[in-house]
Amino acid sequence: MERELTNGISRSTARPVPGDARLRPPCEVACPIHTDAQRYIQMVAEGKNAEALGVVRETNPMPQVIGRICAHPCEEACRRGSVDEPIAICNLKRVASDGAKAAGLGYEPPAVEFTTGKKVAIIGSGPSGLAAAHDLALMGVQPVIFEKQPEAGGFLRTGILNYRLPKDILDEDIDYIRGLGVEIRTGAGVGEDIKFDDLVAEYDAVLIAVGLSESRPLPIPGADLPQVLLAVPFLENVNAGRETEGLGKEIIVIGGGNVAIDVARSAKRITGGKVTMVCLEADNEMPAHDWEIADARAEGIEMVCSQGPNAFVGEGKLEGLQIKKCESVFDEHGRFAPTFCETELSVIPGDTVIVTIGQMSNLSFLPDTGPALNQRGILIFDREQCTTSQRGIFASGEVVTGPGAAVNALASGKRAAIAVARYLGVDVSFSHEPVAIAEVPADVSEKIKPAARRQMPVRDSDERLKDFEEVETGLGEVDGRCEASRCLLCGSGARYSELKCVACLTCVRVCPYGAPWADKDGLGGIDAGKCQACGICFTQCPAKAIDLTVVSEDDLMASIARTVTAFGGELELGCWYSQSRVAPDAGFISLPCTSRLSVRMLLHALESGASKVFVAVCSEDDDGHFVHGHRQTRAAVAESQKALAEIGLDPELIELRLVAVKKCMAGK
Amino acid sequence: MITAERKPFDQIKTVTDQFENILVVGCNTCVAVCLTGGEKEAEILATQLRLQRQKDGIGGTVETVTVLRQCENEYVDAVAAQVAGKDLILSTACSIGPQLFADRFPQVRVAPAMNTNMLGVVKEHHVWTEYCAACGDCVIFNTGGICPIARCAKQLTNGPCGGSQDGHCEISKDIPCVWQLIYLKLASFGLEGNLSRISGPKDWSKANSGGPRTMKKEGFKP
């Protein structure tokens, strides 16, 4: 497969969307690190988890972590969302990494040589620093990470709880990065154990990726009461297995973001007491992800919305939180500027408050002569080049981007890696931002078969409150493959060659989705937004002006020949959507519908040495995954059988067989 | 377009079995559009031949190449490299293709894989109907835009004949009587009375009856 260097690592370019090589599936466009989700989903659908993990690793340095905690903007963008529900892309990433691990594959880092002779110091081992280190290593630059905590991972370790991200999973992703030759010096606080200027002197470049390591305090009356705690030290204690002093049984968490949810769920697990969240936003405006809020509610956490903290109540010992009604959170420009009704006050009783209203960076390690800060104490930073005011000093992650999802921190770290590498003379460029393919038109959407999204299984809420073990247990093989087969393969269908087209109109006549078009001059094309990648036009085009992007004719022919050579004898050309076999003992090629099989391909299988070819097909009373798909399969097999009879061979050398169960088409 | 259908495989095999190295040549114009002899079909035929020859223990090679139009010297000449070393050129074009290959590559034997049948239209997907007989003297203005030469079994210019039955031709219930169609069409313009005028004798010398035709056009010549 043709590859080019982008983001410092190789990436397939073999799947341009017709008409515009930059048009990509919206999941990939929405992903901050532009992971080719469609390609790994396709592999999961085929049960090739190790290969799928390999695709994830092309852009994602922390596949297991991101497969668990990602905010998955890809799913918001997924075109399947306009048909029924988006693909569970994040969960499928986990299927890939879990499945590969179970098979003992995909966790051995490649051997890396630091060919540039350059060394980079990275301050902070959070997702941004780790991502930068990972990519720099692959570009031949030696990274050394300095981490003040005793263990690597940054906020992934100190801020995210084991029930969402088990520590051994985090360790495995970090170990892979270490395996690339990345040195991580833990317990090495810059500014404390090592001077910043010493790093500048010793290394060819320095990357500041310290994140937002401190809680923002809440300066209201009573803030100095000992039972008023801050989120970051609390989470650090929980994650380190240390007890938090002053934690009572009636806990109030101030804040409505994802970290506040983690704080509340942890407090619930530790104390078993009453936990109430108080936030400025209305119920439907809470900044935390909907699924996080739902999980917290399922665990018995109460939410008090549209209320702002007014004062901590109590003399020497906290007795509660006085709150006031919040009338609006943002001003007309969308800026954070809460307004309150100062007279509508009430008190929530409680013996502990944990303040989770945001985080800030600690840049006290920077000397006065170092990179400049602005008036608000924030690092002055060039977003394009990832540079600070001091030459050779770069920055990435939340210290410069502000709070966001882990995958955004990875993206920032990856960009910084390219910036640093370019500064050090590596011939690499920033990748182009891809453009998303259009929405599914309504007339096409109604022709797409509904298929229920597979839900992530979770431990029972009573059970999971007893410990910090992982709540989500993984989709598993069968549900994973079914979920993956829901993918619409956006933009990976028909690829049209204007040069070879003879303007015969066959594609226009046979496409069930109305994707091909032609004008009076015979100029035409195939609308990638409408194409569903069923393959019918490809099999019918008389001039071979149409190929398929995902599984091109050449690739499929080669795969047929390879499979026949490897397994000898019989070959099954099977169907993703059934997840069942029609000839279990035969060599197997799994396809997104056998409607993409041409007569030539079927004959080619015999020519390659197959003693028999079985073709899976849906029953005639059910149209299967694609409109008219099974009719094309039947026609191709009938034509092939006729061709065999003509030459004096047994037509039954190519045999149609009904797929038994269409596990993945219906709901569960 | 010109339509052509592939010959029965047995007929093709009778020829190809005599040769060792064969080039199947597709044509990506009329026969591609009528879905019988374009690149796709040429590849299928070549694969069939290889499988058959493997089964029958015949050695040699069967390769395939497709040109845009086998009725142009330049396109035919463009595959000289693929023709080199071949004993037989098997063309999936209309009969023009193999003839031009025979002209351009006089040292190589050439065979048609197709039977050329008509000048037709796509009535529906996978159905073609004859509309033109290339008679050289078009009369369809007088017949409501419907050709009595191509579409009447007797090529009558003053129809219908007595074999017109309930709108069908006497030779088959599947074939409409074209003179019935002509009558109805003219009637839709109120011109059915025109049919009482007898058409004079048709000049068949402009058709193939006058011998092979050559068409020339005035204008710039390089």
Side-chain angles (χ1 to χ4, degrees), chain B residues 138-170:
Chain B
C138 194
V139 299
I140 65 169
F141 177 71
N142 297 327
T143 55
I146 299 169
C147 176
I149 311 299
R151 298 167 70 180
C152 170
K154 292 177 177 167
Q155 302 185 328
L156 292 180
T157 51
N158 292 289
C161 71
S164 179
Q165 304 287 323
D166 302 324
H168 300 292
C169 176
E170 65 184 328

Side-chain angles (χ1 to χ4, degrees), chain A residues 500 544 607 646-647, chain B residues 28 39 43 48 50 55:
Chain A
K500 295 199 75 178
K544 300 196 67 181
E607 201 187 352
E646 280 184 328
I647 61 178
Chain B
N28 258 351
E39 184 169 344
E43 285 185 348
Q48 270 186 297
R50 286 194 296 267
K55 172 179 73 82

Side-chain angles (χ1 to χ4, degrees), chain A residues 17 274 411 432 596 636:
Chain A
V17 169
K274 180 174 162 62
H432 295 293
R596 61 185 50 224

